[in-house]
Amino acid sequence: MDLSVIVPTFNEGPNVAELVRRTAAALPGRAIEIIFVDDSSDDTPDIIRAVAAQALVPVRLIHRDHPQGGLGGAVVEGIRAAASEFCVVMDGDLQHPPEVIAELLARAEVGDADVVVASRYTEGGTSDGLANAVRTLVSRGSTLLTKAMFPRKLHNCSDPMTGFFLLDRRSLDVESLRPRGFKILLEILARKQMRVAEVPFSFAPRFAGESKASFSQGMRFLTQLTMLRFGRMSAFAVVGGLGAVANLLITGGLTGLGVQYLVASVIASVLTIVGNFLALEYLVFADMRAESGLMRHRFLKSFTFNGIEALVRIPLLWLLVSEAHFHVVIATALTLLAAFVVRFVYHALVVYAPKRSRSAKIAAIREPLEDELAA
Ligand code: GDD
Ligand code: MN
């Protein structure tokens, strides 16, 4: 097998036949397979099976009934299952022209690269297929931000956000990846220094169907960036900080509207506690939710923590100021810092602790800490 082509799909039925036809035609005389990793809620899997029966190259289908990690999780699943060490990852909507695969493969066979990136932003590439000016601006801006955060690892990569690339699987430990959301290439390149080569390509308009990109994918991307760069604890801190700012704004806004200040403060606290919890659920600990039991139990644990924290912190503050004679500002800062660390450890190890078996528990408890070390 010369090459495995991995195609993540979510409701891409009308694109499947054309994609398989063009991919097979683009690589004559090569031993290739196409692996669809499908999370669709419609009849896409049936279409893939029907196309596979007629195709000129082997077409495999992995359908996930309980998808994890979204697009990125699907890609990792495909890389694991691939028969070849050379894995091309390509979207299922023909925005990535299959004809470019031949160039990616030829470049990889030179033998001096771990990843060959199909780039829109290198000499000869274009991003015309992006749906509109806003998407173009977001894509350009997030590319710059990402490159600034990983100046060395992404030095040779002009398009770390592309979903079209060839990976030599021997160059990394697939199990070390923590896929979340759309930006799987970034996940691969940010973990360790990879040798990157590039091939330009023109990002085409979709063949059929609609994009699955969304605002919530954007939020997921920013969380991923923070976690890859600074570790999970920083994403946790950013969420906490934004919560504090939101609390001030809501309290200020309500009192401005004439609401009594204690009432305003209670409303602001309830809103930020709930908002904070949702951000932890869907962003910071999104990858640990599935295994850590019921959401309402996690909320109760998290909520209880706030109460106990206040009960412990205030007497501690009193001790520091009147017994140990700390300045009140320093004492407050110390107790808040301690509370932050304890809060993070408690959420990572207790609230989001995996529930399955004891061995799975031990393995996953180690994970968030390993994430810190890797960062
Ligand atoms: N299995 C699976 N699961 N596939 C998914 C999922 C999912 O949850 N979400 C999206 N996909 C598939 C789509 O079916 C498509 O084949 C591919 O992933 C890309 O999704 P699009 O909805 O077409 O995304 P896009 O065109 O907006 O974004 C693409 O271009 C970006 C660059 O601007 C992707 O390649 C991004 O990764 C890339 O950053
Ligand atoms: Mn697309």
Side-chain angles (χ1 to χ4, degrees):
M1 187 68 68
D2 295 326
L3 180 71
S4 300
V5 180
I6 294 151
V7 185
T9 46
F10 184 82
N11 299 353
E12 299 288 0
N15 296 313
V16 172
E18 180 70 2
L19 181 138
V20 169
R21 187 189 66 73
R22 276 175 61 184
T23 304
L27 294 149
R30 296 290 208 158
I32 68 161
E33 62 172 354
I34 303 176
I35 305 176
F36 286 94
V37 189
D38 182 70
D39 296 336
S40 297
S41 50
D42 66 2
D43 62 348
T44 303
D46 299 328
I47 297 177
I48 294 172
R49 277 187 212 102
V51 169
Q54 310 275 318
L56 300 175
V57 297
V59 173
R60 296 163 59 189
L61 167 64
I62 300 173
H63 180 77
R64 306 195 301 167
D65 284 322
H66 303 286
Q68 280 192 19
L71 168 53
V75 167
V76 170
E77 194 99 16
I79 293 173
R80 268 196 211 116
S84 168
E85 300 294 351
F86 281 162
C87 301
V88 159
V89 176
M90 178 173 84
D91 286 353
D93 56 1
L94 292 162
Q95 291 199 277
H96 299 153
E99 294 71 29
V100 176
I101 298 175
E103 292 169 54
L104 294 175
L105 183 55
R107 184 63 191 80
E109 283 171 344
V110 173
D112 61 349
D114 303 316
V115 179
V116 185
V117 170
S119 170
R120 299 163 290 178
Y121 299 134
T122 193
E123 184 75 43
T126 68
S127 58
D128 298 349
L130 278 179
N132 53 47
V134 175
R135 277 291 308 258
T136 308
L137 202 71
V138 169
S139 174
R140 284 283 187 176
S142 50
T143 300
L144 276 182
L145 177 66
T146 308
K147 279 183 66 86
M149 283 184 136
F150 296 94
R152 260 179 307 150
K153 291 201 178 99
L154 300 182
H155 181 66
N156 291 321
C157 183
S158 59
D159 196 356
M161 328 297 275
T162 184
F164 194 14
F165 57 90
L166 183 152
L167 167 73
D168 181 344
R169 193 174 55 181
R170 291 166 298 192
S171 66
L172 94 154
D173 171 15
V174 179
E175 304 311 318
S176 74
L177 299 174
R178 297 274 173 279
R180 40 211 147 189
F182 268 41
K183 307 303 175 193
I184 181 63
L185 177 61
L186 176 62
E187 185 74 29
I188 292 170
L189 296 181
R191 293 252 160 221
K192 71 182 240 245
Q193 186 69 54
M194 302 285 256
R195 294 172 303 160
V196 180
E198 291 195 326
V199 162
F201 88 105
S202 295
F203 193 66
R206 263 183 168 267
F207 182 71
E210 282 170 14
S211 170
K212 283 87 194 171
S214 59
F215 178 74
S216 90
Q217 283 299 337
M219 295 305 291
R220 237 165 260 170
F221 158 66
L222 290 177
T223 311
Q224 177 191 24
L225 204 57
T226 314
M227 294 230 257
L228 280 171
R229 181 69 281 188
F230 307 108
R232 196 189 297 271
M233 201 164 164
S234 315
F236 189 82
V238 170
V239 164
L242 288 177
V245 172
N247 194 322
L248 289 178
L249 289 178
I250 297 170
T251 310
L254 287 177
T255 46
L257 291 173
V259 178
Q260 204 262 341
Y261 76 97
L262 286 178
V263 178
S265 166
V266 168
I267 296 177
S269 297
V270 170
L271 288 179
T272 43
I273 286 171
V274 172
N276 198 293
F277 177 72
L278 291 177
L280 295 184
E281 281 282 302
Y282 293 106
L283 298 171
V284 181
F285 291 105
D287 55 337
M288 295 171 73
R289 286 178 71 222
E291 304 203 332
S292 56
L294 296 174
M295 184 164 167
R296 61 170 184 278
H297 290 169
R298 291 194 294 271
F299 182 73
L300 274 181
K301 285 185 198 154
S302 180
F303 193 77
T304 312
F305 184 91
N306 296 321
I308 296 177
E309 188 231 277
L311 284 179
V312 174
R313 202 167 60 80
I314 306 302
L316 193 67
L317 185 65
W318 174 83
L319 261 179
L320 284 176
V321 175
S322 53
E323 302 294 311
H325 304 294
F326 276 89
H327 188 281
V328 66
V329 175
I330 299 199
T332 307
L334 282 176
T335 59
L336 283 177
L337 186 69
F340 167 76
V341 174
V342 175
R343 176 188 294 266
F344 175 69
V345 170
Y346 174 77
H347 278 81
L349 299 189
V350 179
V351 180
Y352 289 92
K355 286 271 166 338
R356 283 188 190 154
S357 67
R358 207 183 129 65
S359 63
K361 197 169 186 164
I362 292 166
I365 281 180
R366 244 185 258 124
E367 267 173 37
L369 300 176
E370 274 169 12
D371 250 17
E372 299 310 307
L373 295 178

